[in-house]
Amino acid sequence: MKIALITGATSGIGEATAETLARLGYNLIITGRRTQKLLEVKSKLIELYHVKVLSLSFDVRNRNEVEESLGTLTDEWGKIDLLINNAGLALGLDHIQNGNFDDWDRMIDTNVKGALNVTRIIAPMMCAQKRGHIINMGSIAGVQVYENGGVYCASKHAMHALTQSMRIDMLKDNIKVTEIRPGMVDTEFSIVRFHGDKEKAKKVYNGVQPLQSDDIANVIEWIVKLPEHININDVEIMPSQQADAHYTVRN
Ligand code: NDP
Ligand code: 8X3
């Protein structure tokens, strides 16, 4: 049975992807900070799909926690086939000149350094076994910028650059690296961005049919089912009503 590690599996895209991979028969390592939510996801996956699930609660920003959780995996769990670097967030919508330092730190430390912290532990294991696939959750914000989103966009531009670098660096070790760049997906993302203001978050999707987490999970299913000799470098996936970061038609 294959093993997949998904960061940020307590909600949204990560949770949907965990369910999809469980349905495909993967044993799963699911991670996130919310221990109780992780345990609920774990129970659901075991009950519905009868796969093995290891839930590890840690903050991807905390290098010690990442090392303690992932650097000590037993033989049973250490042979990871698929890593999905999904944990991430946006915080605030401000012009740079008014930006909040704490929001900036959290975005950069989570989206960029968090993914690096996890990759630095898992990638050597994959390279040693000469087999593995890393899927990075980028964003349309990784190739375009928009007003008030400067630091989030910068963090996803970093993810875009890192994905390309990882693919080159691990080419000789037979590691496939893919980036997924969604547009609007209806998850907890906007609630987090607006620091818990659900009304404000709802307005982001006014008059638009956004993507759902399952839409992204379906793309991941397609990617991981492809034959070994094929790698999808990147996929940009948008709601039909959204052309790019700037142009959206609303009903
Ligand atoms: P959610 O808020 O629903 O999920 C985010 C996940 O990331 C949660 O499971 C959360 O877990 C985890 N997470 C956040 N911070 C940390 C941390 N410091 N340590 C560990 N885990 C963390 O949002 P989405 O599902 O939408 O987001 C998933 C990814 O998709 C993100 O990288 C986001 O940037 C990207 N994306 C989202 C889009 C959208 O419109 N929704 C569009 C394009 C990309 P917990 O809180 O338990 O720690
Ligand atoms: C999330 C999509 O457009 O809010 O990455 O930046 S967007």
Side-chain angles (χ1 to χ4, degrees), residues 8-14 32-34 58-61 86-89 110-111 137-140 152 156 182-189 192 205:
T10 52
S11 69
I13 295 169
R33 289 165 302 178
R34 285 171 285 179
F58 60 85
D59 188 323
V60 293
R61 291 172 296 177
N86 167 73
L89 78 181
T110 308
N111 301 356
M137 201 52 64
S139 167
I140 184 66
Y152 178 69
K156 289 296 179 181
M184 275 184 248
V185 192
D186 187 8
T187 63
E188 294 179 13
F189 177 85
V192 172
Y205 310 111

Side-chain angles (χ1 to χ4, degrees), residues 6-16 30-43 54-61 65 86-89 106 187-193 196 198:
I6 306 167
T7 66
T10 52
S11 69
I13 295 169
E15 183 178 357
I30 54 171
T31 82
R33 289 165 302 178
R34 285 171 285 179
T35 310
Q36 189 51 38
K37 190 73 209 296
L38 266 185
L39 292 175
E40 286 164 26
V41 175
K42 176 179 177 173
S43 302
L54 176 65
S55 61
L56 298 173
S57 178
F58 60 85
D59 188 323
V60 293
R61 291 172 296 177
E65 284 185 20
N86 167 73
L89 78 181
R106 287 178 62 194
T187 63
E188 294 179 13
F189 177 85
S190 291
I191 298 172
V192 172
R193 170 169 252 169
K198 290 189 179 163

Side-chain angles (χ1 to χ4, degrees), residues 16 22 25 39 41 52 60 90 96 108 118 122 135-136 141 149 160 162 175 181 209 226-227 232:
L39 292 175
V41 175
K52 289 185 183 166
V60 293
I96 296 279
I108 290 172
V118 172
I122 302 303
I135 299 182
N136 290 331
H160 183 51
L162 288 169
I175 310 303
R181 292 196 303 273
Q209 186 177 346
L226 288 168
I232 301 298

